[in-house]
Amino acid sequence: MTTEAPGAAGKTTTEDTPLLEVRDLHVTYRQGGNDVPAVRGVDFTLAPGDTLGIAGESGCGKSTMALSLLRLQDRGARVEGEVLFRGENLLTTAWSRLRAVRWAGASVVFQGAMSALNPVRTVLDQIVEPIVLHDKVRVSEAERRATELLDSVGIPARRVRGYPHEFSGGQRQRVMIAMALACRPDLIIADEPTTALDVMVQAQILELLAESVRESRIAVMMITHDLSLLAHTCDRLAVMYAGRIVELGPSRQVLQAPEHPYTRALSRAFPTIGDPASRRAPAGLAGDPPRPSRTSVGCDFADRCPDVLPVCRTGEMQLWPAGPGRSAACVRALPDQGGTP
């Protein structure tokens, strides 16, 4: 029997409805009179309580993809496909409805904490405002909740009425995380959320997010270059290359037994604790990612791949099944090429 629960901004949904479904997402920029594809045919699904990590080199489309989910991409970008949040397509919904979904339904921890906060308002006021607007509570109640949130990320009550310039980069990042949690959203999109944090605070923030996942069943999509962080905090991992997802599956399985050569190269680029050889000479990856404006046939990774086959340069690549709960855009993952049956 299916039970019903209120979704974002009062939308009624059922337990059978995925929280987020991304279908054939494309994001294209216009540059010098030419189309430059930044995201090309991305598909994935998130259920309540899911944690998905997004990894890949700089420029592979991670942040562009994440921001486009809530239509936060740069002006002039063309976004195509479907982004279904509790069954509602956010790419076509009215702006008034989208504003209701933002904050209360889904929130973002932006990468640039140094410039993301309003410099002429206190950090407390910037968290109080969305709570009052979306939860319809008194200012005093919103201030109490905002103070508790700031305390949970290591900002003491005596400092909550400070202005952004009075905080370090790491402290501003903590304010951004508290702000993302302010309206108790169903989904948090975190773009490099712990980059500016020291190790102790990073552990505190990750535990706070994990507690929110356990207790409130929120879903988290986390973008970072730190593969060990994703393996520790995310149930699933999506690896992006040249605007596409090239491997998707349980995080530890993807990193410990990667099916795609690009994932293998990423995992080998990090030194292993206790292994002096990998610490002194971590593996790398020769060459550069393809330019987004290029037109190519076959696998985008072929020119850098150590295991390239003739079919890789001519065949159409897609995410193929590569074991239980796993998929990879590599022909070597197919059974007839020696991959997982």
Side-chain angles (χ1 to χ4, degrees):
M1 180 177 180
T2 300
T3 59
E4 294 189 350
K11 183 177 177 63
T12 300
T13 59
T14 69
E15 290 181 351
D16 296 334
T17 305
L19 179 64
L20 179 69
E21 290 181 276
V22 178
R23 300 175 180 173
D24 197 28
L25 180 67
H26 292 256
V27 182
T28 306
Y29 294 103
R30 193 73 177 168
Q31 189 176 69
N34 298 315
D35 286 340
V36 179
V39 176
R40 303 183 297 151
V42 165
D43 297 90
F44 64 87
T45 301
L46 273 176
D50 274 358
T51 51
L52 175 68
I54 310 290
E57 291 172 286
S58 297
C60 71
K62 305 185 301 297
S63 295
T64 295
M65 180 271 292
L67 294 178
S68 68
L69 301 182
L70 295 177
R71 286 158 61 180
L72 294 169
Q73 71 283 346
D74 293 340
R75 182 177 298 179
R78 185 173 75 248
V79 184
E80 300 168 296
E82 290 183 308
V83 177
L84 304 178
F85 185 76
R86 296 195 181 277
E88 179 180 12
N89 190 357
L90 298 185
L91 299 186
T92 58
T93 192
W95 280 105
S96 58
R97 172 62 189 156
L98 184 63
R99 284 194 294 269
V101 172
R102 292 174 178 173
W103 290 101
S107 61
V108 181
V109 180
F110 293 101
Q111 187 172 2
M114 295 297 288
S115 58
L117 297 172
N118 189 330
V120 298
R121 301 189 65 191
T122 68
V123 297
L124 180 66
D125 287 343
Q126 294 183 61
I127 299 178
V128 165
E129 181 181 25
I131 296 176
V132 170
L133 288 176
H134 289 276
D135 289 359
K136 310 300 182 185
V137 299
R138 295 174 181 244
V139 172
S140 58
E141 168 62 20
E143 288 184 345
R144 182 191 64 79
R145 192 194 306 175
T147 301
E148 290 176 352
L149 280 169
L150 288 168
D151 181 70
S152 71
V153 297
I155 305 295
R158 57 184 171 79
R159 298 204 59 196
V160 299
R161 298 190 184 277
Y163 290 87
H165 72 271
E166 300 176 296
F167 294 82
S168 68
Q171 290 170 329
R172 295 188 210 185
Q173 189 70 29
R174 298 185 222 175
V175 172
M176 290 292 299
I177 293 169
M179 191 179 296
L181 293 166
C183 296
R184 303 185 180 98
D186 299 312
L187 169 66
I188 291 181
I189 301 170
D191 191 357
E192 298 283 358
T194 61
T195 298
L197 304 180
D198 59 69
V199 176
M200 296 295 289
V201 175
Q202 175 178 289
Q204 178 183 351
I205 297 301
L206 293 177
E207 177 54 33
L208 177 63
L209 290 175
E211 182 180 347
S212 298
V213 171
R214 290 191 302 267
E215 296 183 357
S216 304
R217 298 284 293 163
I218 67 168
V220 175
M221 189 171 75
M222 184 178 296
I223 300 169
T224 179
H225 294 283
D226 190 340
L227 293 181
S228 61
L229 178 64
L230 293 180
H232 178 69
T233 59
C234 296
D235 298 327
R236 291 188 300 149
L237 175 62
V239 178
M240 289 190 69
Y241 185 79
R244 301 182 190 271
I245 291 179
V246 296
E247 187 160 359
L248 177 64
S251 296
R252 294 187 183 276
Q253 291 183 28
V254 169
L255 293 177
Q256 292 173 2
E259 290 284 355
H260 197 285
Y262 178 62
T263 309
R264 194 175 306 123
L266 286 182
S267 61
R268 290 176 178 173
F270 281 78
T272 302
I273 296 177
D275 183 358
S278 70
R279 178 172 59 84
R280 293 168 183 162
L285 181 60
D288 298 308
R291 298 183 60 180
S293 57
R294 89 296 181 213
T295 56
S296 61
V297 178
C299 178
D300 296 303
F301 189 62
D303 290 339
R304 306 173 76 189
C305 181
D307 304 317
V308 64
L309 298 170
V311 68
C312 299
R313 300 188 182 279
T314 58
E316 182 179 351
M317 297 296 114
Q318 56 183 293
L319 279 174
W320 289 294
R326 297 188 61 178
S327 54
C330 180
V331 295
R332 288 187 177 274
L334 297 174
D336 60 357
Q337 297 291 340
T340 304

